[in-house]
Tab-separated table of all heavy atoms in Angstrom:
chain	number	residue	atom	x	y	z
Z	1	MET	N	11.476	-10.971	-7.335
Z	1	MET	CA	10.055	-10.611	-7.274
Z	1	MET	C	9.223	-11.857	-6.980
Z	1	MET	O	9.379	-12.889	-7.612
Z	1	MET	CB	9.650	-9.957	-8.608
Z	1	MET	CG	8.173	-9.581	-8.696
Z	1	MET	SD	7.631	-8.392	-7.474
Z	1	MET	CE	8.523	-6.931	-8.065
Z	2	ASN	N	8.363	-11.750	-6.046
Z	2	ASN	CA	7.447	-12.837	-5.699
Z	2	ASN	C	6.486	-13.095	-6.858
Z	2	ASN	O	5.831	-12.196	-7.334
Z	2	ASN	CB	6.687	-12.418	-4.428
Z	2	ASN	CG	5.823	-13.548	-3.904
Z	2	ASN	OD1	5.317	-14.372	-4.662
Z	2	ASN	ND2	5.667	-13.582	-2.606
Z	3	ARG	N	6.411	-14.340	-7.307
Z	3	ARG	CA	5.545	-14.599	-8.458
Z	3	ARG	C	4.070	-14.565	-8.124
Z	3	ARG	O	3.224	-14.619	-9.011
Z	3	ARG	CB	5.913	-15.911	-9.122
Z	3	ARG	CG	5.841	-17.137	-8.257
Z	3	ARG	CD	6.238	-18.338	-9.119
Z	3	ARG	NE	6.529	-19.622	-8.623
Z	3	ARG	CZ	6.548	-20.123	-7.397
Z	3	ARG	NH1	6.295	-19.428	-6.490
Z	3	ARG	NH2	6.826	-21.313	-7.075
Z	4	ASN	N	3.757	-14.479	-6.858
Z	4	ASN	CA	2.350	-14.369	-6.484
Z	4	ASN	C	1.845	-12.930	-6.500
Z	4	ASN	O	0.691	-12.680	-6.222
Z	4	ASN	CB	2.138	-14.951	-5.085
Z	4	ASN	CG	2.357	-16.457	-5.098
Z	4	ASN	OD1	2.027	-17.128	-6.066
Z	4	ASN	ND2	2.914	-16.974	-4.033
Z	5	VAL	N	2.743	-12.018	-6.790
Z	5	VAL	CA	2.340	-10.621	-6.803
Z	5	VAL	C	1.365	-10.349	-7.950
Z	5	VAL	O	1.589	-10.767	-9.078
Z	5	VAL	CB	3.572	-9.704	-6.927
Z	5	VAL	CG1	3.169	-8.273	-7.221
Z	5	VAL	CG2	4.394	-9.772	-5.655
Z	6	VAL	N	0.299	-9.698	-7.615
Z	6	VAL	CA	-0.701	-9.332	-8.619
Z	6	VAL	C	-0.335	-7.986	-9.216
Z	6	VAL	O	-0.063	-7.034	-8.483
Z	6	VAL	CB	-2.103	-9.249	-7.975
Z	6	VAL	CG1	-3.138	-8.838	-9.006
Z	6	VAL	CG2	-2.470	-10.582	-7.342
Z	7	LEU	N	-0.292	-7.915	-10.518
Z	7	LEU	CA	0.141	-6.673	-11.155
Z	7	LEU	C	-1.007	-5.840	-11.710
Z	7	LEU	O	-0.816	-4.701	-12.110
Z	7	LEU	CB	1.127	-6.980	-12.295
Z	7	LEU	CG	2.475	-7.534	-11.844
Z	7	LEU	CD1	3.375	-7.761	-13.049
Z	7	LEU	CD2	3.147	-6.612	-10.849
Z	8	GLU	N	-2.185	-6.411	-11.729
Z	8	GLU	CA	-3.315	-5.642	-12.222
Z	8	GLU	C	-4.190	-5.205	-11.065
Z	8	GLU	O	-4.466	-5.966	-10.150
Z	8	GLU	CB	-4.141	-6.475	-13.205
Z	8	GLU	CG	-3.447	-6.681	-14.524
Z	8	GLU	CD	-4.378	-7.263	-15.575
Z	8	GLU	OE1	-5.440	-7.776	-15.210
Z	8	GLU	OE2	-4.017	-7.187	-16.762
Z	9	SER	N	-4.601	-3.968	-11.115
Z	9	SER	CA	-5.437	-3.424	-10.062
Z	9	SER	C	-6.530	-2.574	-10.696
Z	9	SER	O	-6.287	-1.858	-11.664
Z	9	SER	CB	-4.581	-2.575	-9.118
Z	9	SER	OG	-5.363	-2.064	-8.072
Z	10	GLU	N	-7.716	-2.678	-10.137
Z	10	GLU	CA	-8.805	-1.875	-10.674
Z	10	GLU	C	-8.914	-0.592	-9.861
Z	10	GLU	O	-9.273	-0.618	-8.689
Z	10	GLU	CB	-10.118	-2.662	-10.617
Z	10	GLU	CG	-11.269	-1.917	-11.273
Z	10	GLU	CD	-12.578	-2.699	-11.179
Z	10	GLU	OE1	-13.065	-2.908	-10.060
Z	10	GLU	OE2	-13.104	-3.096	-12.223
Z	11	LEU	N	-8.603	0.491	-10.506
Z	11	LEU	CA	-8.673	1.789	-9.844
Z	11	LEU	C	-10.094	2.347	-9.925
Z	11	LEU	O	-10.726	2.276	-10.978
Z	11	LEU	CB	-7.726	2.772	-10.516
Z	11	LEU	CG	-6.234	2.591	-10.224
Z	11	LEU	CD1	-5.421	3.465	-11.163
Z	11	LEU	CD2	-5.923	2.955	-8.791
Z	12	THR	N	-10.558	2.893	-8.825
Z	12	THR	CA	-11.872	3.531	-8.811
Z	12	THR	C	-11.698	5.009	-8.535
Z	12	THR	O	-11.140	5.403	-7.516
Z	12	THR	CB	-12.767	2.914	-7.719
Z	12	THR	OG1	-12.885	1.512	-7.946
Z	12	THR	CG2	-14.154	3.548	-7.744
Z	13	CYS	N	-12.168	5.830	-9.446
Z	13	CYS	CA	-12.052	7.274	-9.277
Z	13	CYS	C	-12.980	7.734	-8.158
Z	13	CYS	O	-14.174	7.426	-8.169
Z	13	CYS	CB	-12.430	7.962	-10.583
Z	13	CYS	SG	-12.534	9.748	-10.444
Z	14	PRO	N	-12.454	8.470	-7.169
Z	14	PRO	CA	-13.280	8.933	-6.056
Z	14	PRO	C	-14.223	10.065	-6.461
Z	14	PRO	O	-15.180	10.356	-5.752
Z	14	PRO	CB	-12.262	9.415	-5.028
Z	14	PRO	CG	-11.062	9.775	-5.821
Z	14	PRO	CD	-11.048	8.859	-7.019
Z	15	SER	N	-13.968	10.689	-7.587
Z	15	SER	CA	-14.810	11.806	-8.016
Z	15	SER	C	-16.032	11.347	-8.787
Z	15	SER	O	-17.145	11.796	-8.551
Z	15	SER	CB	-14.003	12.772	-8.883
Z	15	SER	OG	-12.936	13.315	-8.145
Z	16	CYS	N	-15.829	10.425	-9.726
Z	16	CYS	CA	-16.941	10.041	-10.592
Z	16	CYS	C	-17.277	8.560	-10.524
Z	16	CYS	O	-18.265	8.121	-11.086
Z	16	CYS	CB	-16.650	10.450	-12.034
Z	16	CYS	SG	-15.345	9.470	-12.805
Z	17	GLY	N	-16.437	7.779	-9.840
Z	17	GLY	CA	-16.736	6.357	-9.698
Z	17	GLY	C	-16.311	5.505	-10.876
Z	17	GLY	O	-16.572	4.309	-10.902
Z	18	TYR	N	-15.636	6.093	-11.823
Z	18	TYR	CA	-15.182	5.359	-12.997
Z	18	TYR	C	-14.131	4.321	-12.611
Z	18	TYR	O	-13.216	4.610	-11.841
Z	18	TYR	CB	-14.599	6.343	-14.010
Z	18	TYR	CG	-14.135	5.699	-15.300
Z	18	TYR	CD1	-15.055	5.238	-16.235
Z	18	TYR	CD2	-12.785	5.594	-15.577
Z	18	TYR	CE1	-14.625	4.664	-17.426
Z	18	TYR	CE2	-12.342	5.028	-16.767
Z	18	TYR	CZ	-13.274	4.562	-17.682
Z	18	TYR	OH	-12.837	4.002	-18.857
Z	19	LYS	N	-14.285	3.124	-13.117
Z	19	LYS	CA	-13.347	2.050	-12.798
Z	19	LYS	C	-12.533	1.682	-14.026
Z	19	LYS	O	-13.057	1.577	-15.124
Z	19	LYS	CB	-14.102	0.806	-12.307
Z	19	LYS	CG	-14.784	1.016	-10.980
Z	19	LYS	CD	-15.350	-0.310	-10.491
Z	19	LYS	CE	-15.772	-0.218	-9.050
Z	19	LYS	NZ	-17.130	0.040	-8.786
Z	20	LYS	N	-11.248	1.474	-13.795
Z	20	LYS	CA	-10.359	1.122	-14.903
Z	20	LYS	C	-9.292	0.187	-14.362
Z	20	LYS	O	-8.693	0.454	-13.331
Z	20	LYS	CB	-9.706	2.403	-15.451
Z	20	LYS	CG	-8.718	2.167	-16.581
Z	20	LYS	CD	-9.440	2.065	-17.925
Z	20	LYS	CE	-8.491	2.265	-19.105
Z	20	LYS	NZ	-7.384	1.312	-19.135
Z	21	THR	N	-9.083	-0.917	-15.057
Z	21	THR	CA	-8.027	-1.839	-14.659
Z	21	THR	C	-6.704	-1.387	-15.262
Z	21	THR	O	-6.608	-1.167	-16.458
Z	21	THR	CB	-8.358	-3.271	-15.120
Z	21	THR	OG1	-9.572	-3.673	-14.499
Z	21	THR	CG2	-7.253	-4.229	-14.723
Z	22	GLU	N	-5.728	-1.225	-14.396
Z	22	GLU	CA	-4.410	-0.772	-14.838
Z	22	GLU	C	-3.355	-1.778	-14.396
Z	22	GLU	O	-3.497	-2.429	-13.367
Z	22	GLU	CB	-4.079	0.591	-14.215
Z	22	GLU	CG	-4.980	1.724	-14.670
Z	22	GLU	CD	-4.686	2.176	-16.097
Z	22	GLU	OE1	-3.650	1.773	-16.660
Z	22	GLU	OE2	-5.517	2.927	-16.641
Z	23	VAL	N	-2.291	-1.882	-15.159
Z	23	VAL	CA	-1.158	-2.705	-14.763
Z	23	VAL	C	-0.191	-1.841	-13.970
Z	23	VAL	O	0.197	-0.763	-14.409
Z	23	VAL	CB	-0.460	-3.306	-16.002
Z	23	VAL	CG1	0.767	-4.106	-15.577
Z	23	VAL	CG2	-1.432	-4.182	-16.776
Z	24	MET	N	0.186	-2.333	-12.792
Z	24	MET	CA	1.039	-1.530	-11.918
Z	24	MET	C	2.506	-1.712	-12.278
Z	24	MET	O	2.936	-2.818	-12.602
Z	24	MET	CB	0.827	-1.959	-10.460
Z	24	MET	CG	-0.572	-1.701	-9.983
Z	24	MET	SD	-0.784	-2.130	-8.254
Z	24	MET	CE	-1.097	-3.882	-8.377
Z	25	PRO	N	3.283	-0.639	-12.202
Z	25	PRO	CA	4.730	-0.770	-12.390
Z	25	PRO	C	5.323	-1.487	-11.184
Z	25	PRO	O	4.892	-1.275	-10.052
Z	25	PRO	CB	5.214	0.679	-12.472
Z	25	PRO	CG	4.181	1.472	-11.740
Z	25	PRO	CD	2.869	0.739	-11.921
Z	26	THR	N	6.297	-2.367	-11.426
Z	26	THR	CA	6.867	-3.131	-10.319
Z	26	THR	C	8.054	-2.426	-9.681
Z	26	THR	O	8.474	-2.775	-8.598
Z	26	THR	CB	7.359	-4.509	-10.809
Z	26	THR	OG1	8.288	-4.314	-11.874
Z	26	THR	CG2	6.188	-5.339	-11.301
Z	27	ASP	N	8.592	-1.436	-10.352
Z	27	ASP	CA	9.830	-0.836	-9.874
Z	27	ASP	C	9.648	0.578	-9.332
Z	27	ASP	O	10.600	1.222	-8.931
Z	27	ASP	CB	10.868	-0.820	-11.001
Z	27	ASP	CG	10.351	-0.083	-12.230
Z	27	ASP	OD1	9.132	0.178	-12.298
Z	27	ASP	OD2	11.161	0.226	-13.114
Z	28	ALA	N	8.427	1.063	-9.335
Z	28	ALA	CA	8.219	2.422	-8.860
Z	28	ALA	C	6.790	2.564	-8.368
Z	28	ALA	O	5.915	1.813	-8.771
Z	28	ALA	CB	8.481	3.433	-9.972
Z	29	CYS	N	6.600	3.533	-7.502
Z	29	CYS	CA	5.256	3.821	-7.052
Z	29	CYS	C	4.650	4.896	-7.944
Z	29	CYS	O	5.336	5.817	-8.381
Z	29	CYS	CB	5.282	4.320	-5.606
Z	29	CYS	SG	5.608	2.996	-4.455
Z	30	GLN	N	3.380	4.752	-8.178
Z	30	GLN	CA	2.715	5.758	-9.012
Z	30	GLN	C	1.928	6.700	-8.106
Z	30	GLN	O	0.981	6.300	-7.436
Z	30	GLN	CB	1.788	5.059	-10.012
Z	30	GLN	CG	1.199	6.031	-11.016
Z	30	GLN	CD	0.495	5.315	-12.155
Z	30	GLN	OE1	0.728	4.164	-12.446
Z	30	GLN	NE2	-0.409	6.037	-12.803
Z	31	TRP	N	2.331	7.943	-8.082
Z	31	TRP	CA	1.715	8.905	-7.176
Z	31	TRP	C	0.524	9.626	-7.796
Z	31	TRP	O	-0.324	10.152	-7.101
Z	31	TRP	CB	2.733	9.937	-6.706
Z	31	TRP	CG	3.676	9.399	-5.692
Z	31	TRP	CD1	3.345	8.833	-4.490
Z	31	TRP	CD2	5.104	9.359	-5.770
Z	31	TRP	NE1	4.489	8.440	-3.839
Z	31	TRP	CE2	5.581	8.760	-4.590
Z	31	TRP	CE3	6.016	9.798	-6.739
Z	31	TRP	CZ2	6.929	8.571	-4.326
Z	31	TRP	CZ3	7.358	9.612	-6.482
Z	31	TRP	CH2	7.812	9.007	-5.287
Z	32	PHE	N	0.529	9.686	-9.112
Z	32	PHE	CA	-0.529	10.432	-9.772
Z	32	PHE	C	-1.200	9.560	-10.815
Z	32	PHE	O	-0.556	8.758	-11.468
Z	32	PHE	CB	0.026	11.691	-10.448
Z	32	PHE	CG	0.704	12.615	-9.484
Z	32	PHE	CD1	2.085	12.682	-9.429
Z	32	PHE	CD2	-0.043	13.405	-8.622
Z	32	PHE	CE1	2.714	13.520	-8.529
Z	32	PHE	CE2	0.584	14.247	-7.728
Z	32	PHE	CZ	1.962	14.308	-7.671
Z	33	TYR	N	-2.483	9.750	-10.922
Z	33	TYR	CA	-3.223	9.022	-11.939
Z	33	TYR	C	-4.367	9.898	-12.417
Z	33	TYR	O	-5.110	10.451	-11.603
Z	33	TYR	CB	-3.764	7.714	-11.361
Z	33	TYR	CG	-4.615	6.947	-12.349
Z	33	TYR	CD1	-4.024	6.172	-13.342
Z	33	TYR	CD2	-6.004	7.016	-12.293
Z	33	TYR	CE1	-4.797	5.490	-14.261
Z	33	TYR	CE2	-6.787	6.331	-13.209
Z	33	TYR	CZ	-6.185	5.566	-14.180
Z	33	TYR	OH	-6.948	4.903	-15.092
Z	34	GLU	N	-4.475	10.037	-13.716
Z	34	GLU	CA	-5.548	10.866	-14.242
Z	34	GLU	C	-6.723	9.988	-14.640
Z	34	GLU	O	-6.583	9.057	-15.435
Z	34	GLU	CB	-5.058	11.648	-15.472
Z	34	GLU	CG	-6.154	12.559	-16.023
Z	34	GLU	CD	-5.694	13.330	-17.252
Z	34	GLU	OE1	-4.492	13.382	-17.533
Z	34	GLU	OE2	-6.574	13.890	-17.930
Z	35	CYS	N	-7.884	10.287	-14.077
Z	35	CYS	CA	-9.097	9.566	-14.427
Z	35	CYS	C	-9.405	9.810	-15.899
Z	35	CYS	O	-9.401	10.946	-16.356
Z	35	CYS	CB	-10.257	10.041	-13.561
Z	35	CYS	SG	-11.840	9.371	-14.108
Z	36	GLN	N	-9.675	8.716	-16.606
Z	36	GLN	CA	-9.903	8.874	-18.041
Z	36	GLN	C	-11.314	9.373	-18.348
Z	36	GLN	O	-11.609	9.739	-19.467
Z	36	GLN	CB	-9.635	7.546	-18.744
Z	36	GLN	CG	-8.173	7.152	-18.580
Z	36	GLN	CD	-7.789	5.965	-19.431
Z	36	GLN	OE1	-8.628	5.359	-20.070
Z	36	GLN	NE2	-6.508	5.645	-19.430
Z	37	GLN	N	-12.169	9.387	-17.353
Z	37	GLN	CA	-13.519	9.876	-17.603
Z	37	GLN	C	-13.686	11.347	-17.213
Z	37	GLN	O	-14.127	12.158	-18.008
Z	37	GLN	CB	-14.536	9.030	-16.832
Z	37	GLN	CG	-15.964	9.509	-17.033
Z	37	GLN	CD	-16.971	8.498	-16.529
Z	37	GLN	OE1	-17.436	7.646	-17.259
Z	37	GLN	NE2	-17.278	8.599	-15.240
Z	38	CYS	N	-13.323	11.686	-15.949
Z	38	CYS	CA	-13.547	13.069	-15.513
Z	38	CYS	C	-12.247	13.869	-15.468
Z	38	CYS	O	-12.256	15.060	-15.190
Z	38	CYS	CB	-14.236	13.098	-14.148
Z	38	CYS	SG	-13.202	12.567	-12.781
Z	39	HIS	N	-11.129	13.208	-15.724
Z	39	HIS	CA	-9.806	13.841	-15.808
Z	39	HIS	C	-9.370	14.495	-14.508
Z	39	HIS	O	-8.544	15.392	-14.513
Z	39	HIS	CB	-9.749	14.851	-16.967
Z	39	HIS	CG	-9.978	14.195	-18.297
Z	39	HIS	ND1	-9.050	13.381	-18.904
Z	39	HIS	CD2	-11.059	14.200	-19.104
Z	39	HIS	CE1	-9.539	12.921	-20.041
Z	39	HIS	NE2	-10.760	13.397	-20.190
Z	40	SER	N	-9.914	14.056	-13.384
Z	40	SER	CA	-9.325	14.527	-12.140
Z	40	SER	C	-8.025	13.787	-11.895
Z	40	SER	O	-7.852	12.654	-12.323
Z	40	SER	CB	-10.220	14.321	-10.920
Z	40	SER	OG	-11.356	13.665	-11.204
Z	41	ILE	N	-7.113	14.467	-11.227
Z	41	ILE	CA	-5.839	13.849	-10.892
Z	41	ILE	C	-5.965	13.211	-9.519
Z	41	ILE	O	-6.193	13.901	-8.529
Z	41	ILE	CB	-4.704	14.887	-10.895
Z	41	ILE	CG1	-4.634	15.594	-12.250
Z	41	ILE	CG2	-3.376	14.216	-10.558
Z	41	ILE	CD1	-4.316	14.684	-13.420
Z	42	LEU	N	-5.820	11.889	-9.473
Z	42	LEU	CA	-5.878	11.190	-8.197
Z	42	LEU	C	-4.497	11.214	-7.561
Z	42	LEU	O	-3.496	11.009	-8.227
Z	42	LEU	CB	-6.316	9.732	-8.392
Z	42	LEU	CG	-7.533	9.466	-9.278
Z	42	LEU	CD1	-7.966	8.019	-9.096
Z	42	LEU	CD2	-8.663	10.389	-8.972
Z	43	LYS	N	-4.486	11.430	-6.246
Z	43	LYS	CA	-3.238	11.381	-5.487
Z	43	LYS	C	-3.453	10.441	-4.308
Z	43	LYS	O	-4.579	10.284	-3.846
Z	43	LYS	CB	-2.870	12.775	-4.961
Z	43	LYS	CG	-2.565	13.755	-6.060
Z	43	LYS	CD	-2.360	15.140	-5.472
Z	43	LYS	CE	-2.323	16.168	-6.593
Z	43	LYS	NZ	-2.410	17.529	-6.083
Z	44	PRO	N	-2.378	9.826	-3.810
Z	44	PRO	CA	-2.535	8.900	-2.690
Z	44	PRO	C	-3.105	9.600	-1.463
Z	44	PRO	O	-2.829	10.780	-1.219
Z	44	PRO	CB	-1.102	8.414	-2.408
Z	44	PRO	CG	-0.336	8.720	-3.642
Z	44	PRO	CD	-0.992	9.932	-4.251
Z	45	GLN	N	-3.894	8.859	-0.698
Z	45	GLN	CA	-4.381	9.398	0.557
Z	45	GLN	C	-3.259	9.354	1.577
Z	45	GLN	O	-2.277	8.628	1.418
Z	45	GLN	CB	-5.579	8.566	1.035
Z	45	GLN	CG	-6.777	8.740	0.114
Z	45	GLN	CD	-7.905	7.765	0.423
Z	45	GLN	OE1	-7.713	6.792	1.135
Z	45	GLN	NE2	-9.068	8.036	-0.121
Z	46	ILE	N	-3.408	10.136	2.636
Z	46	ILE	CA	-2.381	10.179	3.679
Z	46	ILE	C	-2.163	8.779	4.253
Z	46	ILE	O	-3.114	8.093	4.604
Z	46	ILE	CB	-2.792	11.166	4.791
Z	46	ILE	CG1	-2.788	12.583	4.229
Z	46	ILE	CG2	-1.840	11.055	5.984
Z	46	ILE	CD1	-3.395	13.616	5.164
Z	47	GLY	N	-0.897	8.354	4.307
Z	47	GLY	CA	-0.567	7.037	4.823
Z	47	GLY	C	-0.427	5.985	3.741
Z	47	GLY	O	0.074	4.900	3.993
Z	48	ASP	N	-0.878	6.317	2.538
Z	48	ASP	CA	-0.727	5.384	1.431
Z	48	ASP	C	0.418	5.835	0.541
Z	48	ASP	O	0.689	7.018	0.401
Z	48	ASP	CB	-2.016	5.309	0.605
Z	48	ASP	CG	-3.096	4.519	1.319
Z	48	ASP	OD1	-2.751	3.646	2.130
Z	48	ASP	OD2	-4.276	4.798	1.077
Z	49	CYS	N	1.082	4.855	-0.100
Z	49	CYS	CA	2.292	5.195	-0.856
Z	49	CYS	C	2.000	5.513	-2.310
Z	49	CYS	O	2.803	6.128	-2.980
Z	49	CYS	CB	3.293	4.051	-0.762
Z	49	CYS	SG	2.715	2.528	-1.536
Z	50	CYS	N	0.867	5.053	-2.803
Z	50	CYS	CA	0.613	5.295	-4.214
Z	50	CYS	C	-0.885	5.226	-4.495
Z	50	CYS	O	-1.668	4.819	-3.641
Z	50	CYS	CB	1.371	4.282	-5.081
Z	50	CYS	SG	0.759	2.613	-4.915
Z	51	VAL	N	-1.260	5.591	-5.696
Z	51	VAL	CA	-2.681	5.636	-6.027
Z	51	VAL	C	-3.321	4.245	-5.995
Z	51	VAL	O	-4.508	4.117	-5.730
Z	51	VAL	CB	-2.923	6.286	-7.407
Z	51	VAL	CG1	-2.599	7.774	-7.354
Z	51	VAL	CG2	-2.142	5.600	-8.504
Z	52	PHE	N	-2.517	3.219	-6.252
Z	52	PHE	CA	-3.090	1.876	-6.246
Z	52	PHE	C	-3.457	1.444	-4.831
Z	52	PHE	O	-4.446	0.738	-4.625
Z	52	PHE	CB	-2.111	0.879	-6.871
Z	52	PHE	CG	-1.891	1.131	-8.335
Z	52	PHE	CD1	-0.712	1.684	-8.781
Z	52	PHE	CD2	-2.884	0.851	-9.250
Z	52	PHE	CE1	-0.501	1.929	-10.129
Z	52	PHE	CE2	-2.694	1.090	-10.608
Z	52	PHE	CZ	-1.498	1.636	-11.038
Z	53	CYS	N	-2.643	1.858	-3.854
Z	53	CYS	CA	-2.957	1.510	-2.467
Z	53	CYS	C	-4.203	2.257	-1.994
Z	53	CYS	O	-4.951	1.768	-1.153
Z	53	CYS	CB	-1.775	1.833	-1.559
Z	53	CYS	SG	-0.354	0.763	-1.851
Z	54	SER	N	-4.429	3.456	-2.514
Z	54	SER	CA	-5.571	4.255	-2.073
Z	54	SER	C	-6.848	3.924	-2.833
Z	54	SER	O	-7.921	3.866	-2.253
Z	54	SER	CB	-5.269	5.749	-2.261
Z	54	SER	OG	-4.329	6.192	-1.311
Z	55	TYR	N	-6.735	3.690	-4.117
Z	55	TYR	CA	-7.943	3.589	-4.940
Z	55	TYR	C	-8.075	2.264	-5.689
Z	55	TYR	O	-9.089	2.023	-6.330
Z	55	TYR	CB	-7.977	4.738	-5.957
Z	55	TYR	CG	-7.865	6.069	-5.294
Z	55	TYR	CD1	-6.701	6.823	-5.415
Z	55	TYR	CD2	-8.903	6.573	-4.517
Z	55	TYR	CE1	-6.572	8.055	-4.783
Z	55	TYR	CE2	-8.785	7.789	-3.889
Z	55	TYR	CZ	-7.620	8.522	-4.030
Z	55	TYR	OH	-7.490	9.725	-3.397
Z	56	GLY	N	-7.050	1.430	-5.615
Z	56	GLY	CA	-7.096	0.180	-6.355
Z	56	GLY	C	-7.675	-0.958	-5.540
Z	56	GLY	O	-7.836	-0.866	-4.317
Z	57	THR	N	-7.975	-2.050	-6.217
Z	57	THR	CA	-8.476	-3.240	-5.544
Z	57	THR	C	-7.341	-4.060	-4.952
Z	57	THR	O	-7.559	-4.903	-4.101
Z	57	THR	CB	-9.250	-4.124	-6.550
Z	57	THR	OG1	-8.441	-4.346	-7.694
Z	57	THR	CG2	-10.547	-3.455	-6.974
Z	58	VAL	N	-6.115	-3.806	-5.402
Z	58	VAL	CA	-4.947	-4.562	-4.961
Z	58	VAL	C	-3.856	-3.570	-4.578
Z	58	VAL	O	-3.647	-2.586	-5.290
Z	58	VAL	CB	-4.440	-5.473	-6.113
Z	58	VAL	CG1	-3.275	-6.322	-5.657
Z	58	VAL	CG2	-5.563	-6.351	-6.640
Z	59	PRO	N	-3.162	-3.793	-3.456
Z	59	PRO	CA	-2.052	-2.902	-3.109
Z	59	PRO	C	-0.922	-3.024	-4.121
Z	59	PRO	O	-0.850	-4.014	-4.848
Z	59	PRO	CB	-1.585	-3.406	-1.732
Z	59	PRO	CG	-2.642	-4.330	-1.253
Z	59	PRO	CD	-3.385	-4.830	-2.458
Z	60	CYS	N	-0.045	-2.058	-4.141
Z	60	CYS	CA	1.017	-2.054	-5.140
Z	60	CYS	C	2.021	-3.195	-4.897
Z	60	CYS	O	2.106	-3.740	-3.790
Z	60	CYS	CB	1.722	-0.700	-5.141
Z	60	CYS	SG	2.669	-0.350	-3.654
Z	61	PRO	N	2.773	-3.577	-5.918
Z	61	PRO	CA	3.704	-4.714	-5.814
Z	61	PRO	C	4.681	-4.662	-4.636
Z	61	PRO	O	4.869	-5.692	-3.979
Z	61	PRO	CB	4.430	-4.700	-7.170
Z	61	PRO	CG	3.434	-4.117	-8.108
Z	61	PRO	CD	2.697	-3.068	-7.304
Z	62	PRO	N	5.322	-3.538	-4.322
Z	62	PRO	CA	6.224	-3.542	-3.161
Z	62	PRO	C	5.512	-3.871	-1.853
Z	62	PRO	O	6.068	-4.552	-0.986
Z	62	PRO	CB	6.783	-2.106	-3.133
Z	62	PRO	CG	6.654	-1.631	-4.535
Z	62	PRO	CD	5.388	-2.271	-5.046
Z	63	ILE	N	4.284	-3.419	-1.703
Z	63	ILE	CA	3.518	-3.732	-0.506
Z	63	ILE	C	3.194	-5.229	-0.467
Z	63	ILE	O	3.282	-5.881	0.568
Z	63	ILE	CB	2.204	-2.920	-0.466
Z	63	ILE	CG1	2.486	-1.428	-0.354
Z	63	ILE	CG2	1.305	-3.391	0.678
Z	63	ILE	CD1	2.890	-0.965	1.017
Z	64	GLN	N	2.838	-5.775	-1.603
Z	64	GLN	CA	2.498	-7.190	-1.654
Z	64	GLN	C	3.686	-8.081	-1.321
Z	64	GLN	O	3.566	-9.087	-0.636
Z	64	GLN	CB	1.988	-7.559	-3.051
Z	64	GLN	CG	0.620	-6.985	-3.373
Z	64	GLN	CD	0.163	-7.434	-4.756
Z	64	GLN	OE1	0.145	-8.608	-5.054
Z	64	GLN	NE2	-0.183	-6.480	-5.603
Z	65	SER	N	4.866	-7.723	-1.826
Z	65	SER	CA	6.015	-8.608	-1.657
Z	65	SER	C	6.788	-8.332	-0.379
Z	65	SER	O	7.355	-9.236	0.211
Z	65	SER	CB	6.945	-8.495	-2.866
Z	65	SER	OG	7.384	-7.166	-3.035
Z	66	GLU	N	6.813	-7.091	0.074
Z	66	GLU	CA	7.649	-6.757	1.221
Z	66	GLU	C	6.873	-6.157	2.378
Z	66	GLU	O	7.394	-6.000	3.474
Z	66	GLU	CB	8.749	-5.761	0.810
Z	66	GLU	CG	9.731	-6.356	-0.178
Z	66	GLU	CD	10.517	-5.267	-0.881
Z	66	GLU	OE1	10.796	-4.244	-0.251
Z	66	GLU	OE2	10.821	-5.433	-2.077
Z	67	GLY	N	5.654	-5.770	2.142
Z	67	GLY	CA	4.846	-5.201	3.211
Z	67	GLY	C	5.128	-3.740	3.469
Z	67	GLY	O	4.529	-3.114	4.326
Z	68	SER	N	6.069	-3.190	2.722
Z	68	SER	CA	6.340	-1.772	2.858
Z	68	SER	C	6.708	-1.239	1.482
Z	68	SER	O	6.813	-1.981	0.523
Z	68	SER	CB	7.472	-1.512	3.847
Z	68	SER	OG	8.665	-2.031	3.342
Z	69	CYS	N	6.945	0.027	1.434
Z	69	CYS	CA	7.149	0.631	0.129
Z	69	CYS	C	8.216	1.694	0.193
Z	69	CYS	O	8.634	2.104	1.264
Z	69	CYS	CB	5.845	1.243	-0.355
Z	69	CYS	SG	5.898	1.711	-2.074
Z	70	CYS	N	8.662	2.103	-0.975
Z	70	CYS	CA	9.609	3.191	-1.058
Z	70	CYS	C	8.973	4.462	-0.499
Z	70	CYS	O	7.766	4.615	-0.518
Z	70	CYS	CB	10.016	3.420	-2.506
Z	70	CYS	SG	8.620	3.524	-3.627
Z	71	SER	N	9.790	5.369	0.000
Z	71	SER	CA	9.226	6.586	0.580
Z	71	SER	C	9.337	7.731	-0.415
Z	71	SER	O	10.029	7.610	-1.401
Z	71	SER	CB	9.943	6.963	1.862
Z	71	SER	OG	11.319	7.025	1.625
S	1	ZN	ZN1	-13.182	10.310	-12.450
């Protein structure tokens, strides 16, 4: 694992705008995330591998280290 990989990402809910910093898993992509304010279930946008790539401030760890992700 590249030590420059950032593991914290601030997710922004597209429904209510609520922001929450989450620690990303390094070994798996997270496809679903429940907003803690409005409880909508966030899913990745088309072309993105996980919720962090779609709604976070930082792409997920596999993207950062390898430029691609698990399918
Ligand atoms: Zn929300």
